[in-house]
Amino acid sequence: MDSRPSRRQQELMDLAHKLAVERFAPRAAALDRDAAFPTEDYQDLRKSGLLALCVPEKFGGHGADFETYCLVSEKLAQGNAATALTFNMHCLTMLMMGPLLNGLDLPSAVRNRHEELSARRYLEVVEQGVFYGQPHSEPVESGEQDQLNTGGRRFGTQAQHVDGGYLVNGSKFFVSSSGAADYYSTPVLLEGENAWVERTMYLSIPRETPGVEFSGDWDPIGMRATVSRDMNLKDVWVPGDAEILPPGVVGQLYQRQPYIFISFSATFLGLMQAAYDFAVSYLTGRAPGVAAPRTESSGNVSALAEMLFTLESTRALFYRAISEQRLDPTVDCIQRARAAHARVQETAVQITGEAMRICGGRALLKRYPLERYARDARASAVMRPWTQSLVTQQAGEEALGIKQ
């Protein structure tokens, strides 16, 4: 088994790492302090071509698949995890339009229309530099309990057929890139009598559409630069060609493509690497403001080695999981994806915390990035739909044959 990246993957990873270190990292502390969106980071993503990472090559993108996206996202997160997390939403939209729905049995007319609409969106990303937010989360009190078994309630936002388009009403929360993204990839449930999966829709809602409002304060402990406020949709009308996916497809993907739930683990894997790298830099005296090496403690040396072992074993499991991405994966593959995701969620907190411990009291100072890494890592366990609690419960129930 060869788990090394391909030459093309390595080129994209190197590009992302250079961008993260040289451009994202110097801005990260100020963006975190102000809870401000990383606008300049997105300008760099446009200039570098990485905004079109998951756009097919025939439309001028890099044509990255799911695995490649995860490898690149891990590198970006080493500069600013909040930027990488918002970038996840944009890239996942591109992937859901293309590689992640490959294999779905769609009538030829439906597929042809989808490909035509997708081509327009791809070209907008390449030629105009637009990007997408992805408001999937809803308050648990909105909407009826669905049958997705993925955590939370997904389709409380309603849509009606009106004037050749859709009239949308509902509320979303923790909407990353609030007020910054050009479009929001929004799951809704179309009113009607058909089965709920058939009525699921995935609509592109432009930021400036009348009836779209972002509200609420944004002052969290971590991932502050994601700017994830509430999104309220009041009589928002969008045309019929706002369909990012054909009717029913987003419901199928939630059921049959569980890898979409582990995509943001790449961000936290990169955050872990950044924490480890800074700990090495600090202990060897290479970090700014550190007068001399601090390698005299055998306890620190051993603890750093344990951090490395934990990081590499977590990465190996995650890489195995993303290499198995496919439609309708086997139970063993799903269990491995759950294990990889939960392992990242657990070790992100463990490694960032341990990095602070071995670097000592100065690690608490905001002039160093470790305290930000530790705060950002806390978000991993509570992000929907596969929160750490839910994915652990599901893995145990699957192993024991308990009906979910």
Side-chain angles (χ1 to χ4, degrees):
M1 180 185 297
D2 187 352
S3 60
R4 292 175 297 181
S6 68
R7 177 184 297 180
R8 181 57 177 152
Q9 286 175 330
Q10 190 63 59
E11 289 173 350
L12 291 169
M13 291 163 66
D14 291 344
L15 174 61
H17 188 259
K18 179 179 175 64
L19 205 63
V21 172
E22 296 182 2
R23 307 291 293 176
F24 294 3
R27 305 177 185 130
L31 292 168
D32 174 77
R33 181 192 63 228
D34 299 337
F37 187 78
T39 302
E40 291 180 280
D41 289 0
Y42 270 82
Q43 292 172 355
D44 289 331
L45 287 167
R46 291 185 186 97
K47 292 176 182 177
S48 69
L50 285 179
L51 197 64
L53 175 68
C54 298
V55 170
E57 290 180 310
K58 68 179 180 179
F59 297 109
H62 291 291
D65 58 10
F66 180 80
E67 178 184 280
T68 304
Y69 156 71
C70 289
L71 297 175
V72 170
S73 180
E74 178 189 350
K75 296 297 184 181
L76 291 175
Q78 293 172 39
N80 189 339
T83 300
L85 194 58
T86 61
F87 186 62
N88 171 74
M89 285 70 169
H90 169 72
C91 286
L92 194 55
T93 297
M94 299 294 105
L95 289 167
M96 290 169 70
M97 287 160 52
L100 294 182
L101 64 68
N102 288 343
L104 288 182
D105 185 16
L106 299 176
S108 58
V110 172
R111 184 171 289 278
N112 289 341
R113 181 173 184 271
H114 169 68
E115 291 178 354
E116 177 185 337
L117 294 178
S118 296
R120 298 182 198 171
R121 293 193 171 88
Y122 292 142
L123 288 173
E124 269 197 296
V125 173
V126 172
E127 297 175 357
Q128 300 178 34
V130 305
F131 74 97
Y132 285 74
Q134 210 175 37
H136 285 196
S137 294
E138 298 185 355
V140 294
E141 64 272 12
S142 77
E144 298 179 359
Q145 181 66 53
D146 56 44
Q147 304 171 47
L148 292 176
N149 294 322
T150 56
R153 297 174 183 172
R154 281 290 168 276
F155 297 97
T157 299
Q158 300 289 313
Q160 300 171 280
H161 275 302
V162 174
D163 297 332
Y166 300 97
L167 191 67
V168 180
N169 284 277
S171 297
K172 305 288 186 176
F173 70 169
F174 287 112
V175 179
S176 296
S177 309
S178 288
D182 299 281
Y183 297 99
Y184 294 87
S185 309
T186 308
V188 303
L189 191 65
L190 187 64
E191 290 186 356
E193 301 299 325
N194 295 343
W196 70 270
V197 170
E198 297 175 8
R199 293 186 287 117
T200 57
M201 304 287 298
Y202 204 45
L203 301 179
S204 173
I205 298 182
R207 179 183 63 232
E208 303 297 338
T209 305
V212 174
E213 180 185 26
F214 297 97
S215 63
D217 295 329
W218 179 246
D219 190 21
I221 184 175
M223 288 295 177
R224 293 170 56 81
T226 62
V227 189
S228 304
R229 302 166 69 204
D230 297 343
M231 181 181 183
N232 303 302
L233 304 165
K234 177 66 174 176
D235 293 332
V236 173
W237 185 86
V238 292
D241 62 8
E243 297 174 6
I244 295 175
L245 299 174
V249 167
V250 68
Q252 287 196 61
L253 289 181
Y254 264 74
Q255 302 283 60
R256 302 173 60 188
Q257 188 63 271
Y259 292 90
I260 62 179
F261 309 138
I262 72 170
S263 60
F264 67 76
S265 278
T267 293
F268 293 98
L269 191 59
L271 182 64
M272 293 157 57
Q273 182 68 58
Y276 172 79
D277 289 344
F278 184 83
V280 171
S281 178
Y282 188 92
L283 293 176
T284 56
R286 297 197 302 269
V290 179
R294 296 168 180 252
T295 55
E296 69 283 352
S297 169
S298 60
N300 283 350
V301 173
S302 297
L304 187 73
E306 290 297 333
M307 286 174 60
L308 175 64
F309 301 159
T310 300
L311 173 60
E312 291 299 343
S313 62
T314 302
R315 177 179 284 120
L317 179 57
F318 182 69
Y319 281 13
R320 170 74 185 275
I322 63 175
S323 75
E324 296 174 331
Q325 179 270 315
R326 69 195 70 176
L327 192 70
D328 298 323
T330 65
V331 171
D332 284 346
C333 287
I334 295 173
Q335 287 288 73
R336 198 151 32 245
R338 287 169 173 150
H341 190 60
R343 185 64 174 155
V344 169
Q345 291 169 313
E346 176 186 14
T347 55
V349 174
Q350 176 186 341
I351 284 182
T352 54
E354 186 68 350
M356 291 188 69
R357 186 189 70 81
I358 65 175
C359 289
R362 289 176 181 264
L364 295 171
L365 302 176
K366 286 188 177 291
R367 68 174 128 166
Y368 298 119
L370 284 182
E371 59 85 29
R372 170 165 44 89
Y373 297 161
R375 287 186 286 106
D376 285 349
R378 290 287 175 177
S380 61
V382 296
M383 289 186 61
R384 294 182 177 186
W386 272 8
T387 65
Q388 187 175 350
S389 296
L390 181 70
V391 76
T392 301
Q393 178 74 16
Q394 288 184 339
E397 289 176 349
E398 186 75 63
L400 295 172
I402 300 173
K403 185 177 181 180
Q404 298 182 27

